[in-house]
Amino acid sequence: MELNKITIMEEKNELIFQVMVSFPELLEREIKSYNEFYKTNFEIIETIEEVEIFFCKIRATNYKYENIFGLGYSLAVLENKLKEKGEIDW
């Protein structure tokens, strides 16, 4: 079943979805931290660059749906903190 770049493979409880990010390295950093804290297993399986924007395809098998939103929120918080410190600029 595919819906808006989200694919769920019921037999393995596998979720694959794609997100647009400005800094894929920050997403990788946040995924590592998020996985350790929430015991999830998000992983970036593909990154595509298109004119200063990146699309990252993420896979997980150990997650709850609220973790998808939680990961996005925690990435936004990290980006805002780094922007306030002047460590990133967009």
Side-chain angles (χ1 to χ4, degrees), residues 49-67:
E49 182 178 4
E50 290 188 18
V51 190
E52 298 183 30
I53 297 291
F54 297 88
F55 295 90
C56 294
K57 193 176 284 189
I58 300 171
R59 176 177 44 215
T61 57
N62 184 27
Y63 65 93
K64 295 179 184 172
Y65 285 108
E66 57 263 25
N67 295 131

Side-chain angles (χ1 to χ4, degrees), residues 42-53:
F42 291 105
E43 65 173 319
I44 298 173
I45 58 173
E46 183 179 7
T47 301
I48 301 165
E49 182 178 4
E50 290 188 18
V51 190
E52 298 183 30
I53 297 291

Side-chain angles (χ1 to χ4, degrees), residues 9-23:
M9 300 176 77
E10 299 289 338
E11 62 275 359
K12 295 195 299 185
N13 197 35
E14 181 178 70
L15 172 73
I16 297 175
F17 60 101
Q18 185 170 294
V19 296
M20 181 178 65
V21 296
S22 298
F23 307 99

Side-chain angles (χ1 to χ4, degrees), residues 17 30-31 38 50 54 57 63 74 79 85 87:
F17 60 101
E30 191 55 36
I31 283 175
Y38 290 99
E50 290 188 18
F54 297 88
K57 193 176 284 189
Y63 65 93
S74 62
E79 288 175 336
K85 290 180 178 180
E87 294 181 26

